[in-house]
Amino acid sequence: MLSLFRTNQASAGLFLFLYALILQLPVIFGWVEAAPALAQSGVGGTWLMQWTKGQFYLSALLPVLFVTIQGIIANVLVTRHRMSRKITQFPGLFIILCWAIVPSFRALHPVQLANILLLLALLSMGRLYKNEEPAVPLFNAGAWLGVAALFSPTYLVLLPAFIIGIGILRRITFKSIFQLLTGTAVILSLVFSYAYITGALPAALSIQFSALGWWQSTSFPSLQLPGLITLAVLLLLSIVAYGIIVRLLNIEGKKNVGIQYWMLLFLLLSILVSGASEIPYFQAITAPLGVVLGLRFILLSDGKAEFYHLVLFTVAMSATIWTVFS
């Protein structure tokens, strides 16, 4: 199966969509229930959930579209910024697989759209390398992050990671930090200015920031445990794989891979201030984690890659197997 994704052809995006759709079929056909997100989210996330409320098939199909777009952008990110010596669709593929591993991730959640915007911000950030005019990519990166924060306010926790990213790709200065923060501030200011003009500012502020709070421990349903354990194992393996991934890369590639790890770290920290104790928010880590895993799988032999992929695919379908045959 992986041979379909060892290509740089434009049609690979269709394969990613079909792959995500196959993994979502249990939800579409009602074999596995994917409860809607209950956590409060930003003004964009609240609008998204209200817009799709009561529309089952739209809520089931939008996650497929969102993770496919994440995969396509991730593949562009890896190729454009030389994070791999081979061009494949593996980074996007493993974003989709990480998303599908935990059954509760299959439900529509604002984080799925926030991750698209995060990857767009990383595309802009990567343009800083050897760029004599960094103002535009810095502003764009901050702006994309600001839009992501409208769907998941906890993504503002990533601002320090982006500042670290500036230091990785070029010499960090107060001016560069200001340009990044300006992009984020402009987006938030425009949204809240519009809310003020329409008389909805208090409600908008309440919706946007009420989701922030210390995370509270929660029980993990047995149906979610295999996926969560697998995700934790993949996270540990991705950490120890850093040296192998960057070994033969040029300087630009190494720097951009390092930024993925910083994003992964700060997304893990964002869980601490995510307020509600719900499992679906954990999928925030799937974008950088999927990229890193994809880079690692590129370096595996074909046989090993196929075997490990089959294991992960089986885990992703385990909830369906258990529900149908139990």
Side-chain angles (χ1 to χ4, degrees):
M1 181 183 290
L2 287 182
S3 59
L4 294 174
F5 302 97
R6 295 183 186 273
T7 175
N8 59 354
Q9 297 179 358
S11 59
L14 176 61
F15 293 146
L16 290 177
F17 178 80
L18 293 176
Y19 187 85
L21 184 62
I22 289 171
L23 290 168
Q24 187 71 336
L25 286 178
V27 174
I28 295 174
F29 289 122
W31 299 335
V32 174
E33 181 181 359
L38 301 177
Q40 296 170 322
S41 55
V43 292
T46 300
W47 167 81
L48 175 67
M49 301 308 292
Q50 290 177 348
W51 176 57
T52 57
K53 186 176 181 180
Q55 303 183 59
F56 173 77
Y57 288 107
L58 183 61
S59 297
L61 289 173
L62 276 179
V64 175
L65 177 62
F66 288 158
V67 296
T68 300
I69 295 173
Q70 288 178 38
I72 293 171
I73 298 173
N75 291 333
V76 173
L77 175 69
V78 168
T79 302
R80 180 175 298 175
H81 299 303
R82 304 181 180 182
M83 295 162 63
S84 172
R85 296 175 64 89
K86 296 181 181 178
I87 299 177
T88 72
Q89 307 299 312
F90 280 11
L93 172 68
F94 281 92
I95 285 179
I96 294 172
L97 196 52
C98 287
W99 159 76
I101 279 177
V102 182
S104 62
F105 290 3
R106 314 281 187 89
L108 180 64
H109 196 286
V111 165
Q112 293 157 359
L113 190 48
N115 270 351
I116 293 176
L117 299 161
L118 171 62
L119 288 166
L120 290 173
L122 290 173
L123 268 176
S124 295
M125 177 67 66
R127 291 175 55 200
L128 293 178
Y129 185 69
K130 292 185 177 180
N131 191 334
E132 298 299 327
E133 298 180 357
V136 173
L138 279 170
F139 179 88
N140 288 343
W144 284 122
L145 184 60
V147 180
L150 294 175
F151 290 90
S152 182
T154 49
Y155 274 49
L156 291 175
V157 174
L158 296 178
L159 279 171
F162 274 84
I163 293 173
I164 293 171
I166 296 172
I168 291 174
L169 294 171
R170 62 182 298 113
R171 186 171 64 87
I172 191 169
T173 63
F174 175 79
K175 181 179 179 181
S176 62
I177 296 175
F178 179 77
Q179 290 166 338
L180 173 74
L181 297 179
T182 298
T184 303
V186 165
I187 295 299
L188 296 179
S189 296
L190 287 174
V191 171
F192 292 125
S193 295
Y194 175 78
Y196 175 77
I197 294 172
T198 58
L201 181 60
L205 289 173
S206 176
I207 292 172
Q208 181 65 28
F209 297 109
S210 61
L212 298 176
W214 292 112
W215 182 76
Q216 301 174 2
S217 61
T218 183
S219 59
F220 298 117
S222 57
L223 199 62
Q224 313 293 329
L225 279 177
L228 289 172
I229 293 172
T230 303
L231 199 65
V233 172
L234 292 175
L235 179 61
L236 293 174
L237 291 176
S238 69
I239 293 173
V240 301
Y242 173 77
I244 299 173
I245 292 172
V246 303
R247 184 171 51 195
L248 298 177
L249 297 181
N250 62 14
I251 296 175
E252 180 184 6
K254 290 179 180 179
K255 288 177 179 289
N256 279 283
V257 170
I259 290 174
Q260 300 302 311
Y261 279 89
W262 281 108
M263 292 298 159
L264 186 55
L265 171 61
F266 276 85
L267 281 169
L268 287 169
L269 293 177
S270 74
I271 295 175
L272 299 178
V273 293
S274 60
S277 54
E278 64 161 7
I279 295 174
Y281 180 78
F282 292 1
Q283 68 186 292
I285 70 171
T286 57
L289 179 59
V291 169
V292 171
L293 288 174
L295 295 175
R296 181 64 184 96
F297 265 72
I298 290 173
L299 302 175
L300 292 176
S301 64
D302 290 356
K304 286 185 177 180
E306 290 284 357
F307 173 75
Y308 293 138
H309 169 261
L310 179 61
V311 172
L312 294 176
F313 187 86
T314 302
V315 173
M317 298 301 290
S318 63
T320 305
I321 297 171
W322 175 260
T323 303
V324 173
F325 294 101
S326 63

